[in-house]
Amino acid sequence: MRILVVCGAGASSTFVAQRVRHAAQVEGLAYVASAGTEQSLPIDLDSADVVLVGPHLAHAMDRIRHDAQWRGATVVLLPDDIFTDLDGTRTLALVRAAVQADGDASTSSAELHRPQHLTESPKGIS
């Protein structure tokens, strides 16, 4: 899982990325977290599965979601008090919840529209 934390200048996103990376490591998860800025977002989106957006960028959420949609990334607006999450566990929980919700929605939608022959496993393959 590749997590991109975005803020205005990159300073606060660096702290959040470090904390969520540490929390994932403690739980044995192979998550990579990096920091980015609003300006670097068009390039950074190409290497992100989840985009965590700083609360001060709420005004840009529609554009960020639109851009992320084309790359298959899940976008989460972080709460105003996210910077008080000193061990990253709350941020990690937000990532997990968003991925789960996105996975549930896209799986059910994809399964509804996928031809039957693509949903069946060939004989002998499980």
Side-chain angles (χ1 to χ4, degrees), residues 5-75:
V5 185
V6 179
C7 74
S12 56
S13 60
T14 298
F15 292 119
V16 174
Q18 288 173 342
R19 292 170 183 167
V20 75
R21 184 174 41 243
H22 178 72
Q25 182 181 17
V26 167
E27 292 196 27
L29 301 171
Y31 288 9
V32 176
S34 59
T37 66
E38 187 175 10
Q39 291 75 27
S40 69
L41 191 57
I43 295 167
D44 294 340
L45 273 173
D46 289 333
S47 61
D49 299 309
V50 175
V51 180
L52 303 179
V53 180
H56 51 286
L57 295 178
H59 67 276
M61 282 299 290
D62 288 341
R63 179 181 47 79
I64 294 170
R65 279 196 181 105
H66 178 267
D67 292 348
Q69 168 187 338
W70 295 105
R71 293 166 173 97
T74 300
V75 178

Side-chain angles (χ1 to χ4, degrees), residues 54-119:
H56 51 286
L57 295 178
H59 67 276
M61 282 299 290
D62 288 341
R63 179 181 47 79
I64 294 170
R65 279 196 181 105
H66 178 267
D67 292 348
Q69 168 187 338
W70 295 105
R71 293 166 173 97
T74 300
V75 178
V76 177
L77 178 63
L78 294 170
D80 289 335
D81 65 346
I82 198 63
F83 305 109
T84 63
D85 179 26
L86 299 181
D87 65 0
T89 56
R90 192 166 141 235
T91 307
L92 181 59
L94 291 170
V95 169
R96 289 176 137 174
V99 169
Q100 179 66 42
D102 191 48
D104 290 346
S106 58
T107 299
S108 59
S109 175
E111 292 300 319
L112 289 174
H113 301 293
R114 185 178 297 157
Q116 184 65 29
H117 71 279
L118 294 177
T119 60

